[in-house]
Amino acid sequence: MLHQLIEYTTQIHPRARSTFANVSDIKTPDALAAVFELSHSAPYLLREFAAGETPILPKHIYDVPGSDPLKNANNNAPVGTGPYVFSEWVRGSHIVYKRNPNYWDNPKPYLDQLIVKFQQDAVVRTLALETGDADIAYRTPVALSEIARLKKEGKLGFETKGNN
């Protein structure tokens, strides 16, 4: 299945072809281990196994004889085991994630749902944060020219240490 995962990923992910170029073989000595053999060193490879870069594909859904993984219905309604499960995707608008009732770390997550909104306009994103319509935003969601003003007002918190 790992060979298929890399094969599928290199077909659909823009960086996967170069990311996995040095993988010459994958061995699975037991059910809990995978050994990647490389033709050249690739220290960046460890980061590529984060879910955003190389998602885990559930075998019972994607390894169906005669099916095309690129046309699988779950590509638009993903399956996962994290604290939230996919609920709704309105392209260009938002994605809704609901609390996973089967999450292993009960009572987490503490929120019942997450709504991820997509907004191209930095002014609209700034207003959403200022008015409380948005609670958190990734990277630098506001216009750089607004940061000094927003910091001075003190209504918003800014993290400058990154996400590590």
Side-chain angles (χ1 to χ4, degrees):
M1 187 64 183
L2 282 172
H3 287 285
Q4 290 172 312
L5 169 64
I6 290 177
E7 181 182 317
Y8 299 158
T9 305
T10 57
Q11 291 175 34
I12 61 173
H13 195 286
R15 292 179 299 278
R17 195 168 294 120
S18 60
T19 295
F20 295 108
N22 294 326
V23 176
S24 56
D25 196 16
I26 305 170
K27 295 180 178 161
T28 51
D30 62 55
L32 301 176
V35 177
F36 286 74
E37 293 184 1
L38 305 176
S39 58
H40 298 2
S41 67
Y44 56 84
L45 197 58
L46 287 175
R47 287 192 67 163
E48 300 309 313
F49 290 106
E53 285 297 315
T54 308
I56 295 172
L57 302 176
K59 185 174 184 174
H60 68 285
I61 292 174
Y62 282 89
D63 194 18
V64 178
S67 70
D68 181 353
L70 300 177
K71 295 179 182 172
N72 191 296
N74 287 96
N75 292 344
N76 291 316
V79 175
T81 60
Y84 294 93
V85 293
F86 174 82
S87 177
E88 176 187 49
W89 181 7
V90 177
R91 289 185 184 270
S93 175
H94 65 276
I95 297 176
V96 178
Y97 299 96
K98 301 276 184 184
R99 183 182 190 280
N100 182 351
N102 301 312
Y103 188 55
W104 64 272
D105 195 9
N106 197 23
K108 295 176 185 172
Y110 301 122
L111 301 176
D112 290 332
Q113 75 176 5
L114 298 175
I115 301 173
V116 178
K117 295 179 181 180
F118 303 100
Q119 179 49 252
Q120 298 297 319
D121 189 325
V123 172
V124 174
R125 289 192 306 263
T126 302
L127 288 171
L129 288 164
E130 285 184 293
T131 62
D133 190 41
D135 297 310
I136 190 169
Y138 186 60
R139 296 202 173 149
T140 307
V142 299
L144 295 177
S145 60
E146 291 291 302
I147 292 175
R149 176 184 68 81
L150 293 169
K151 283 183 177 179
K152 184 177 179 183
E153 287 180 0
K155 294 179 184 176
L156 301 176
F158 289 84
E159 175 58 61
T160 59
K161 297 177 188 172
N163 60 359
N164 292 330

